[in-house]
Amino acid sequence: MPSLKQVVEALVFASQKPLVPREIAAALKATADESDDLAVKALGKTREAEIGAVLEEIKIELDSSGHAFRLIEQVNGWHFVTSTDCAPWVRQLFPESKPVRLSGPALETLAIIAYRQPITRADIEAVRGVAVDGMVNMLLERGLIRIAGRADVPGRPLLYESSEYFLEHFGLKTLDELPNSTELRRIPLPVAEPAAPSIPAPPPESAPAPEPAPEAESTPATEPAAAPDPVP
């Protein structure tokens, strides 16, 4: 009968995606429900906290064993990876898969977003001093950043933040693992000046209406003169 550590190792090794303790515990319970073996049923009662401790134990053992692979935890779970020291040789097995390389301006834009997210494009440009439309669109296409909503300011500009793939790509579990994250988040940076509210132009003044002409005084009508008496 394999031990809990061996079963956990086998599950992580065989999985095509990273696993979290909850998924491992679900696999242990499902196996226990299908088995009559008391030892297997006992493994099915393993708690997630215990599985997490076993994963940490395996990680420490592999880090100190000198093996060419390690167990790491990233934002989406635990999985085995090869040592970075062996990357030049391992890369030969995947010639069609080339690492994503970012230019200096793209890395600067990505760093500003990662440390100051969520952030608007105008605030990024205030820090860099240049337009960043192309950089932001490229980072969106590569899945390193995503749209986080709209800012509650006039114009409702889009807000940008790092994606889960950003953490995976750089081997991070949380944003707190960014270098000097606490210090760099406190440094004051330039921000975009709020746009002045547009004041509608006053309507053109209309020419004053002409004053009505004074009414002509009406002369009283004269009564017709009386006809003379007939001559006898």
Side-chain angles (χ1 to χ4, degrees):
M1 175 67 192
S3 64
L4 175 61
K5 182 189 296 185
Q6 291 173 315
V7 173
V8 170
E9 282 183 347
L11 288 172
V12 177
F13 181 81
S15 176
Q16 296 181 350
K17 67 178 186 67
L19 294 178
V20 296
R22 173 177 47 81
E23 294 171 314
I24 297 175
L28 295 176
K29 185 179 183 304
T31 305
D33 293 340
E34 298 174 356
S35 176
D36 295 330
D37 191 312
L38 296 179
V40 174
K41 287 188 174 296
L43 285 179
K45 299 178 181 178
T46 307
R47 298 179 179 274
E48 294 181 24
E50 187 177 353
I51 295 172
V54 170
L55 288 166
E56 289 287 352
E57 182 181 348
I58 297 171
K59 177 183 182 299
I60 295 173
E61 289 181 358
L62 289 176
D63 287 346
S64 60
S65 65
H67 286 294
F69 58 92
R70 300 180 296 124
L71 179 65
I72 66 170
E73 182 186 13
Q74 290 187 329
V75 62
N76 53 349
W78 292 83
H79 63 139
F80 286 105
V81 297
T82 55
S83 172
T84 54
D85 296 337
C86 301
W89 294 273
V90 175
R91 193 174 296 125
Q92 300 307 315
L93 299 176
F94 308 96
E96 70 284 354
S97 177
K98 296 183 179 180
V100 177
R101 296 188 181 278
L102 298 175
S103 64
L107 282 173
E108 291 176 8
T109 303
L110 182 59
I112 295 170
I113 296 173
Y115 282 101
R116 294 306 174 102
Q117 60 185 306
I119 188 172
T120 64
R121 186 176 307 193
D123 284 343
I124 301 172
E125 293 175 346
V127 177
R128 293 204 58 220
V130 295
V132 297
D133 299 70
M135 295 296 102
V136 169
N137 292 335
M138 183 270 292
L139 294 173
L140 283 170
E141 291 174 0
R142 297 195 177 185
L144 291 168
I145 64 173
R146 68 185 189 93
I147 296 173
R150 290 186 177 274
D152 191 16
V153 295
R156 304 280 291 167
L158 293 173
L159 290 167
Y160 300 94
E161 66 181 9
S162 60
S163 63
E164 184 174 299
Y165 176 66
F166 166 82
L167 296 174
E168 296 177 18
H169 182 75
F170 290 99
L172 304 172
K173 186 168 65 174
T174 66
L175 292 172
D176 292 334
E177 295 182 356
L178 287 168
N180 302 323
S181 61
T182 304
E183 293 81 357
L184 291 177
R185 288 174 184 169
R186 287 201 303 256
I187 296 176
L189 295 177
V191 295
E193 295 184 1
S198 58
I199 302 175
E205 295 182 1
S206 56
E211 296 182 0
E215 296 182 359
E217 294 183 0
S218 59
T219 57
T222 58
E223 295 182 359
D229 293 336
V231 176

